[in-house]
Amino acid sequence: MFIEKIAKKSAMKKYYVTVAAIFIAAALIAFGVKNDGNMEVFNKARMICLECIGIG
Amino acid sequence: MATSNKNLQKNNFIRLAFQIFWAAITNGYMKGFSSAHIYGGKLKNICVPGLNCYSCLGAFFACPIGSLQSLISNRAFKASCYVIGFISLFGTIFGRAVCGFLCPFGLVQDLIYKIPFFKKRKNLPLHNVIRFLRYVVLVLFVIVLPITALDEFGFGFTWFCKYICPSGTLFAGIPLLAGNEMLRSSAGVIFSWKMCVLLAVLFFSLWSWRPFCKYVCPLGVIYGAFNKFAIYRFELDNSKCTKCGECQRVCKADIKVWETPNSSECVRCGECVASCPTGALKKNIARRVATP
């Protein structure tokens, strides 16, 4: 009974951490988009990355 | 035992099929392969979960580690929240299942490990020392050096991409140099170094399972931190577990699964679940209450 109670509490704790992490991740993406993060990624990724291929 | 073997084969077949499917759809820009040019459309706004170089001829999306280094090396710290958010989201949903199912370089290492060449071993010599290398790579090559080592214009470099990433060499460097005469003539010492890194990783992949993921990959370190509370997780029913050790025996990462089913080393290949003789291990999704 006692162990079950602890397991239940621990599962709930993990569940809330998961939910909080999803909200934080979504907020980070939104904040990044507001600061043109998506455009910065796009501008880098659409060009050949000379560093990635060991030339730059 | 026969059922366990059948389950294991089925599990491995499904995972391999999914890895190939994912690698094909995220790197399906066929025009790139025929013309030696990369895709430059709007999808490159979005990061893929795995280590998939954005300079790969077929890549539709951006690499999260390359993008992160690029933004922080350009001092765009606020903008880098976009990439950190993507990594956190993938990590919270999948944990290191990203490594097991959605990373094309993981697939390459898995395929090479299947070649019956060396006597296979779970870990490389000095495992307990070199397993900390990936933390050094993450902190030094992905964060500290791109921020602190600047050129005369105040910009940093993508150090991990430039000096280490074998995924970039394999999927981008070699195909681009093969198809582009101008790039080929510019290749020098750094490309030779990167080829050595790639060959070393491929050689060790013949011997030990996924050495790059185990010892070098910074993305694996980040996703590993999410494993304990990711939505997709493994659960152990203690009342069914006999601690027979079969899960650790089949685990290529040598994890004591009955002790830590959500270890940060686990890439969720599912072989332990498929081979558990009592069915004590289960793949599960996060719930508010503990499963019975």
Side-chain angles (χ1 to χ4, degrees):
Chain A
M1 192 70 178
F2 179 67
I3 292 170
E4 259 178 35
K5 232 178 180 179
I6 291 175
K8 205 172 172 183
K9 249 187 178 174
S10 161
M12 275 182 81
K13 218 170 159 183
K14 271 187 191 168
Y15 176 81
Y16 289 127
V17 170
T18 307
V19 173
I22 287 180
F23 279 109
I24 291 168
L28 282 169
I29 293 173
F31 182 74
V33 170
K34 198 176 164 237
N35 288 286
D36 288 334
N38 57 331
M39 289 317 293
E40 297 257 4
V41 169
F42 175 68
N43 288 334
K44 175 72 183 173
R46 75 194 172 96
M47 314 277 267
I48 289 175
C49 171
L50 296 176
E51 288 162 334
C52 301
I53 61 175
I55 293 176
Chain B
M1 202 57 161
T3 319
S4 289
N5 280 341
K6 215 174 173 185
N7 284 346
L8 203 59
Q9 280 178 358
K10 189 178 161 194
N11 173 79
N12 289 350
F13 175 77
I14 292 171
R15 190 167 76 90
L16 182 64
F18 193 86
Q19 285 177 292
I20 293 170
F21 169 74
W22 180 261
I25 60 164
T26 52
N27 295 283
Y29 183 61
M30 290 302 153
K31 205 177 152 193
F33 291 106
S34 58
S35 61
H37 283 93
I38 64 168
Y39 170 76
K42 288 284 176 198
L43 287 174
K44 283 251 166 114
N45 275 301
I46 302 166
C47 295
V48 272
L51 202 67
N52 193 150
C53 187
Y54 38 48
S55 291
C56 168
L57 296 174
F60 280 121
F61 302 95
C63 168
I65 284 291
S67 303
L68 182 63
Q69 288 171 88
S70 170
L71 293 187
I72 60 177
S73 67
N74 289 340
R75 332 298 287 170
F77 297 118
K78 284 181 181 172
S80 68
C81 289
Y82 178 70
V83 184
I84 296 168
F86 260 107
I87 297 173
S88 308
L89 190 65
F90 293 134
T92 312
I93 297 171
F94 305 111
R96 280 198 80 179
V98 168
C99 309
F101 288 81
L102 306 176
C103 180
F105 197 65
L107 168 65
V108 170
Q109 290 174 89
D110 280 350
L111 292 175
I112 289 174
Y113 185 71
K114 285 179 192 291
I115 300 171
F117 188 64
F118 279 103
K119 187 172 184 251
K120 308 293 177 187
R121 52 186 296 164
K122 288 190 176 180
N123 299 315
L124 289 179
L126 300 173
H127 168 77
N128 284 332
V129 178
I130 56 175
R131 71 195 176 101
F132 294 106
L133 184 66
R134 59 203 179 121
Y135 298 98
V136 176
V137 170
L138 172 66
V139 174
L140 198 64
F141 284 82
V142 178
I143 300 167
V144 174
L145 286 173
I147 293 175
T148 55
L150 309 176
D151 62 12
E152 62 268 39
F153 305 107
F155 292 110
F157 302 105
T158 54
W159 284 75
F160 174 74
C161 298
K162 190 171 180 177
Y163 293 106
I164 299 176
C165 186
S167 179
T169 315
L170 181 65
F171 296 124
I174 295 171
L176 275 167
L177 263 60
N180 192 317
E181 174 61 42
M182 203 174 74
L183 288 175
R184 199 158 50 239
S185 58
S186 317
V189 179
I190 299 174
F191 182 75
S192 305
W193 161 252
K194 285 198 70 182
M195 276 303 292
C196 291
V197 173
L198 172 65
L199 291 174
V201 170
L202 298 182
F203 172 75
F204 285 119
S205 301
L206 280 169
W207 196 16
S208 172
W209 184 71
R210 290 193 175 210
F212 179 77
C213 306
K214 264 194 227 169
Y215 304 116
V216 187
C217 185
L219 204 50
V221 175
I222 301 172
Y223 287 137
F226 286 93
N227 251 7
K228 280 193 171 53
F229 58 89
I231 290 178
Y232 180 63
R233 62 177 70 148
F234 287 173
E235 268 171 25
L236 179 75
D237 186 342
N238 279 313
S239 63
K240 286 184 183 172
C241 180
T242 58
K243 296 184 173 49
C244 64
E246 180 63 13
C247 46
Q248 188 183 3
R249 195 188 65 77
V250 296
C251 178
K252 294 193 185 93
D254 202 25
I255 298 165
K256 288 182 180 169
V257 187
W258 75 91
E259 281 179 5
T260 50
N262 294 305
S263 159
S264 61
E265 310 282 326
C266 174
V267 300
R268 305 302 193 206
C269 69
E271 292 187 13
C272 52
V273 178
S275 64
C276 180
T278 60
L281 268 169
K282 289 224 158 28
K283 295 170 185 171
N284 222 330
I285 56 163
R287 291 168 198 209
R288 204 198 293 229
V289 289
T291 45

